[in-house]
């Protein structure tokens, strides 16, 4: 979906940022550095880092963006946990469609 969205928008994105293969700020996504920092903080154990990440989003994008960012992080976390818990395999057509992207970012490793 992300790749298709970027193709429609005409923006060049660096998908290696998903797995940490890109320096912060070089993703091609507006405010991508804030979102990556927030996602890393959400998945980490450092409460101070999480507080600072939320405050950075609030200062830069406003309170609605904090709520939206937290909602997206929560949703992705839930979807991933459900898929892992049920042993849901990646469908063959999605595996084929995402093969290049998965190889590019090294997610299969």
């Amino acid at each position: 979906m992300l790749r298709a969205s970027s193709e429609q928008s005409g923006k060049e994105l660096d998908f290696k940022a998903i797995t940490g293969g890109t320096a912060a700020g070089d993703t091609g996504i507006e405010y991508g550095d804030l979102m990556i920092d927030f996602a890393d903080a959400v998945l980490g154990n450092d409460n101070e880092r999480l507080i600072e990440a939320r405050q950075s989003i609030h200062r830069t994008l406003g309170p609605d963006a904090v709520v939206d960012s937290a909602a997206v992080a929560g949703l992705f976390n839930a979807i991933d946990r459900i898929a892992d818990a049920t042993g849901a395999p990646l469908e063959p057509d999605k595996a084929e469609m995402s093969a290049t992207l998965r190889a590019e970012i090294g997610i299969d490793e």
Side-chain angles (χ1 to χ4, degrees), residues 34-35 38 42 57 61 63-75:
L34 288 176
M35 297 301 118
F38 179 71
V42 165
I57 293 170
L61 302 172
D64 289 347
V66 176
V67 173
D68 291 347
S69 300
V72 169
L75 179 62

Side-chain angles (χ1 to χ4, degrees), residues 8-100:
Q8 282 188 332
S9 72
K11 291 184 177 182
E12 180 94 16
L13 303 180
D14 186 349
F15 296 104
K16 292 179 184 148
I18 295 168
T19 55
T22 300
D26 293 338
T27 63
I29 299 170
E30 188 173 22
Y31 305 110
D33 55 336
L34 288 176
M35 297 301 118
I36 289 172
D37 189 49
F38 179 71
D40 286 344
V42 165
L43 296 173
N45 295 322
D46 185 342
N47 286 337
E48 291 301 318
R49 182 177 182 196
L50 180 58
I51 290 168
E52 178 55 37
R54 283 194 316 251
Q55 289 174 344
S56 293
I57 293 170
H58 188 273
R59 279 191 307 271
T60 306
L61 302 172
D64 289 347
V66 176
V67 173
D68 291 347
S69 300
V72 169
L75 179 62
F76 272 89
N77 192 23
I79 290 169
D80 184 58
R81 287 178 187 263
I82 291 167
D84 286 348
T86 62
L90 183 60
E91 297 94 341
D93 61 326
K94 289 187 179 140
E96 185 179 332
M97 288 176 11
S98 64
T100 302

